Amino acid sequence: MTVEVVMPKLGMAMKEGTVSIWNKGVGDPVRRGEPIASVSSEKIEIDVESPAEGTLLKITVPEGEGVPPGTVICYIGALGEEVAAGLTLEEVQKPEVENQSPANEKTEPFTPVKPADRVKISPVARKIAEAANLDIEKIHGTGPGGRITKEDVQEAIMNSHTPQAERKKETNETPVRPQEETQQIPVSGIRKVIAVRMFDSLQKTAQLTINMKADVTVLIALQTQTAETVQNRYDNKLTVTDFIARAVVLSLQRHGQMNSAYSEDKIHLFKHVHLGMAVALEKGLVVPVIRDAEQSTLIDLSRSIKTLAQKARQGQLSNEDMHGSTFTISNLGAYGVEHFTPVLNPPETGILGVGAVNDTPTYIGEKLERRSILPLSLTFDHRVLDGAPAAAFLQTVKQYLEEPITMLL
């Protein structure tokens, strides 16, 4: 019996899902639980597993096409089994025998035709390769399961040899400059959502960024001193990011105006702190949320940060995991960045940018010492609060980081 495979609902707010790539083609055998396609919503991409063992008889949603959840994307059944009539979605791969015959003629049995392309490649990478006339079968994929990524195609283009242009003959005429060819990369999925949200953020809010530096020498020493105890007792490792998150949560409780949102000419102050932690992925930035963070201990925060980051990298975040934040932290320290200007995550009032810790000669009184300095960049909505209260909030974060023992009491 034919089994329908439908577009899954990846969250309560999901209205449309897109087939990113088909791992199987019409006529391919599939096993129960085997990934047959990757689908994505605005911020999530997951593998769709086959619900039954059999043959992929029909694909009804091509790569790159968006459909509502519950829409049939393909059919699986026994080899040669006919698929029910009445389908309205265009097929990606049509077997030759599917051309309908007149009613009085005998219909040929179903014979699956192998598609020409079985290479696992993302839609964006495929378009770039086609524009550059590259043979994707000769490109080595570095993505999961050997999937070819955009970076793989770009590297292949750089390594390809193109004939040099013939030297122009010396003439009195002015040479005509040929139009430069460009690569056109369609913006979709996560990248499109980020583009729209960031543009709207800059257009619809009054953003101002202030910078400050915190001396985290004592904090790093405390982290080192407690590492063995934390590992043995909690099976965990505290990072500087964990301490920063704790400092931010405590500071937001003391400066409630920063834990707010501006909407419909009103400032909405939140009772609880729902902390967003930005995570960079290959396809873009996601911000999973730690809810009721003020109720979490330092160890609890550390575990939540690691768990959500792992889920983000494995594509297991739900829409609910990424909605409802009241303040966000974005850490670019791992990339060697110092101060930067983070962009607000609407409708939040503030976002803290964290840079890389650098050892710097610093005067402590009359004595020059080597200290670990952490750059902080706070972007806030000037419609909600002015520079002085924003600076007071950042000063409180700095105090917690410079006196880390206060975060444990």
Side-chain angles (χ1 to χ4, degrees):
M1 181 178 179
T2 304
V3 177
E4 297 179 347
V5 181
V6 301
M7 174 65 68
K9 190 172 181 64
L10 305 182
M12 296 299 295
M14 175 181 170
K15 297 181 180 179
E16 184 178 88
T18 302
V19 177
S20 303
I21 186 172
W22 282 103
N23 299 323
K24 294 288 184 176
V26 172
D28 281 351
V30 295
R31 299 188 303 274
R32 183 182 179 87
E34 182 179 11
I36 57 177
S38 294
V39 299
S40 62
S41 64
E42 289 184 344
K43 293 187 177 181
I44 308 171
E45 182 163 355
I46 65 169
D47 288 331
V48 174
E49 298 179 350
S50 173
E53 185 169 345
T55 301
L56 181 56
L57 301 178
K58 196 184 194 79
I59 292 176
T60 58
V61 179
E63 291 181 359
E65 181 172 314
V67 293
T71 302
V72 178
I73 61 174
C74 71
Y75 291 87
I76 294 174
L79 182 64
E81 184 176 359
E82 293 186 0
V83 179
L87 298 175
T88 58
L89 294 174
E90 181 180 350
E91 298 174 9
V92 176
Q93 299 153 338
K94 295 184 179 180
E96 295 177 359
V97 298
E98 288 192 352
N99 294 329
Q100 295 185 356
S101 304
N104 60 346
E105 293 183 11
K106 184 178 180 180
T107 303
E108 295 293 331
F110 173 79
T111 304
V113 176
K114 294 288 184 181
D117 189 359
R118 284 289 188 274
V119 179
K120 293 182 179 180
I121 181 172
S122 69
V124 172
R126 185 187 296 276
K127 290 182 181 297
I128 298 175
E130 290 176 352
N133 294 320
L134 292 181
D135 185 355
I136 60 176
E137 293 185 356
K138 296 181 180 179
I139 302 175
H140 174 68
T142 61
R147 182 178 181 180
I148 299 173
T149 65
K150 176 183 68 175
E151 289 74 18
D152 296 331
V153 176
Q154 291 174 338
E155 183 177 356
I157 293 174
M158 292 178 61
N159 294 335
S160 63
H161 297 283
T162 55
Q164 295 182 350
E166 295 182 359
R167 294 184 176 181
K168 299 177 182 179
K169 296 181 179 180
E170 295 183 358
T171 63
N172 294 327
E173 298 179 0
T174 302
V176 178
R177 184 182 182 89
Q179 185 175 2
E180 183 178 354
E181 294 184 0
T182 61
Q183 296 180 7
Q184 297 185 7
I185 303 175
V187 179
S188 61
I190 296 177
R191 187 75 263 155
K192 184 175 182 179
V193 173
I194 293 174
V196 172
R197 286 179 60 84
M198 293 300 96
F199 182 78
D200 286 345
S201 174
L202 291 171
Q203 293 292 316
K204 298 178 181 179
T205 58
Q207 300 191 26
L208 179 64
T209 301
I210 56 178
N211 301 312
M212 195 173 290
K213 295 179 179 179
D215 186 338
V216 292
T217 307
V218 176
L219 186 153
I220 293 176
L222 177 64
Q223 177 195 16
T224 303
Q225 294 168 3
T226 59
E228 184 176 354
T229 301
V230 172
Q231 182 64 46
N232 293 337
R233 180 173 296 183
Y234 301 104
D235 190 25
N236 192 28
K237 178 181 179 181
L238 292 176
T239 66
V240 173
T241 299
D242 299 334
F243 283 97
I244 294 171
R246 178 65 173 164
V248 166
V249 171
L250 293 174
S251 300
L252 288 172
Q253 291 181 282
R254 292 175 56 180
H255 302 268
Q257 200 171 7
M258 187 64 72
N259 191 47
S260 65
Y262 188 96
S263 178
E264 298 178 354
D265 295 329
K266 295 180 182 178
I267 299 173
H268 301 262
L269 301 178
F270 297 106
K271 184 176 181 181
H272 299 283
V273 176
H274 305 310
L275 186 64
M277 299 295 297
V279 179
L281 304 177
E282 178 186 350
K283 297 183 178 180
L285 192 72
V286 295
V287 185
V289 182
I290 303 172
R291 302 193 179 280
D292 302 320
E294 78 282 357
Q295 299 177 11
S296 299
T297 64
L298 177 59
I299 295 295
D300 293 334
L301 275 177
S302 176
R303 286 173 173 165
S304 297
I305 291 170
K306 292 177 177 62
T307 299
L308 289 172
Q310 183 178 18
K311 289 176 65 177
R313 295 186 180 101
Q314 294 176 349
Q316 297 176 349
L317 289 174
S318 66
N319 279 355
E320 287 72 21
D321 288 330
M322 295 183 289
H323 282 84
S325 58
T326 59
F327 189 93
T328 294
I329 296 175
S330 179
N331 193 338
L332 293 180
Y335 300 93
V337 174
E338 295 185 0
H339 289 293
F340 63 101
T341 305
V343 179
L344 285 177
N345 185 23
E348 297 171 13
T349 293
I351 178 172
L352 181 68
V354 180
V357 176
N358 287 314
D359 288 343
T360 306
T362 305
Y363 276 103
I364 306 298
E366 297 296 324
K367 186 178 180 181
L368 188 64
E369 297 184 8
R370 178 177 178 175
R371 310 294 291 184
S372 298
I373 305 301
L374 175 70
L376 301 172
S377 304
L378 174 68
T379 296
F380 63 96
D381 192 339
H382 215 320
R383 299 176 303 170
V384 177
L385 72 169
D386 298 325
F393 165 79
L394 192 55
Q395 180 68 36
T396 301
V397 174
K398 171 184 167 73
Q399 290 174 351
Y400 277 120
L401 294 176
E402 294 185 339
E403 301 174 17
I405 190 65
T406 60
M407 293 188 278
L408 306 179
L409 301 177

